[in-house]
Amino acid sequence: MKLSYVTDSLGHLPFEEMLDFVAELGIDTIEMTTGGWSPAPHLRLDELLESEQKRSEFLNSLEKRNIKLCALNCSGNPLDPGELGREHREVTEKTMELAQLLGVKKVIMMSGLPAGSPEDKVPNWITYTVSWPPTLKDILDYQWNEVAIPYWKGLVKKAEECGVEKIALENFSSQLVYNPETLFKLRNAVGPIVGLNLDPSHLLWMGADPILSARELGAAIHHVHGKDVRLERHLSGVNGVLETKEVTDVANRAWNYVAVGCGQDLQWWKEFFSVVKMMGYDGEVSLEMEDLTMSVEAGVRT
């Protein structure tokens, strides 16, 4: 496996300075965002789509530093019922087209989350048993069978036409796909081009064991994010891990994203990567720095 870096956390640096910083760290592979939830601080999607010269300049900036672009990331909610969904679907399709122009074979996304019915105006994340109240089962049936699967069948076709070989869905909260089981539900319906962007941090706070998850996923591991989480025992032990406080309120949250090694120890990470490798994954591990208790630079070097 090869260490990569998600460049969004260096959004305060201009594109060329960001590349210099990454190169100074000895990292020669990056994952870059094109839009969606991200403001895409280092990549102008429309500009690169429209101009061969801009694409050439972009690639030359990477090549002269011996940096490879391993994936484009357009994580957002393409299944949102409103204007946001329309915007994110547009970004997603354009990302597939840009991937083809840049020769990128892997796109990182989130599955999206629909509303609970055709009349609803906001997404609805169902995480509780569908036996009561019974309307929850109807919501899930609508979300999967009437919205998600039809959309994803069309997107898979678009991706294949653009030469994209892997779509890696991050197992993020408030998404229809958030763990191995839900990933396989979508993958079985639309095809093996869809796999998981295995991010252990989300699985950890949800109560799963990412090492066991990796074994279950096997060949469905399409990408890996290097991100850690820490359960704050004095709060999670009292209130559980369902958390609605702002992510910036680190002192009062039941769990926080932390730099790799500040949640799980070195032995845990060794076993995690060993099992991921045993399952056949030999791609990039993109370091994602979202620890708000320290600077980006400190977190990356930790």
Side-chain angles (χ1 to χ4, degrees), residues 32-288:
M32 296 187 69
T33 55
T34 59
W37 299 126
S38 168
H42 301 119
L43 187 152
R44 301 291 173 262
L45 182 57
D46 289 336
E47 181 179 86
L48 291 178
L49 281 171
E50 295 165 3
S51 171
E52 183 178 355
Q53 179 181 346
K54 291 295 184 181
R55 293 195 299 273
S56 179
E57 292 172 357
F58 174 82
L59 291 173
N60 286 338
S61 294
L62 273 64
E63 289 169 3
K64 71 181 182 181
R65 296 171 175 85
N66 295 313
I67 292 176
K68 174 188 175 184
L69 178 61
C70 72
L72 295 174
N73 187 321
C74 58
S75 293
N77 188 0
L79 304 182
D80 184 282
E83 178 63 19
L84 179 74
R86 188 198 66 77
E87 293 174 0
H88 286 187
R89 287 191 295 274
E90 182 179 355
V91 167
T92 298
E93 294 202 4
K94 287 182 176 181
T95 299
M96 298 298 175
E97 295 166 7
L98 182 61
Q100 183 174 34
L101 293 171
L102 296 179
V104 174
K105 301 299 183 182
K106 182 160 59 177
V107 172
I108 315 301
M109 292 183 59
M110 294 176 184
S111 67
L113 181 68
S117 75
E119 293 77 31
D120 284 356
K121 295 182 179 180
V122 295
N124 192 338
W125 192 36
I126 304 300
T127 59
Y128 182 66
T129 176
V130 296
S131 60
W132 183 263
T135 52
L136 297 182
K137 183 178 185 300
D138 296 335
I139 290 174
L140 283 173
D141 286 342
Y142 167 77
Q143 290 179 320
W144 279 100
N145 299 318
E146 297 187 41
V147 182
I149 291 175
Y151 169 77
W152 273 95
K153 283 183 176 178
L155 184 60
V156 163
K157 183 178 179 180
K158 170 78 173 182
E160 291 173 339
E161 291 172 350
C162 292
V164 172
E165 297 175 354
K166 292 183 177 181
I167 302 175
L169 303 184
E170 184 171 352
N171 48 283
F172 195 74
S173 55
S174 295
Q175 300 293 313
L176 207 55
V177 171
Y178 56 91
N179 61 12
E181 183 177 52
T182 49
L183 180 278
F184 281 120
K185 183 170 183 175
L186 184 63
R187 179 181 169 96
N188 291 340
V190 305
I193 187 176
V194 173
L196 203 70
N197 168 24
L198 179 56
D199 187 322
S201 67
H202 309 311
L203 290 168
L204 284 163
W205 76 255
M206 291 182 199
D209 183 335
I211 295 171
L212 297 180
S213 298
R215 288 189 178 275
E216 181 71 15
L217 287 162
I221 301 174
H222 279 3
H223 195 63
V224 176
H225 269 176
K227 191 167 75 172
D228 207 345
V229 79
R230 183 175 60 239
L231 300 185
E232 309 297 358
R233 289 172 292 182
H234 64 296
L235 292 174
S236 62
V238 173
N239 296 317
V241 295
L242 299 182
E243 180 58 84
T244 58
K245 297 182 184 68
E246 293 287 342
V247 71
T248 53
D249 190 12
V250 292
N252 296 303
R253 286 176 53 85
W255 57 268
N256 288 296
Y257 295 125
V258 292
V260 171
C262 293
Q264 320 312 305
D265 62 20
L266 178 60
Q267 181 59 39
W268 188 93
W269 282 102
K270 286 182 176 181
E271 183 179 358
F272 173 74
F273 287 123
S274 178
V275 170
V276 167
K277 175 74 173 179
M278 283 191 289
M279 293 303 101
Y281 183 75
D282 197 27
E284 296 80 17
V285 177
S286 288
L287 185 63
E288 194 173 19

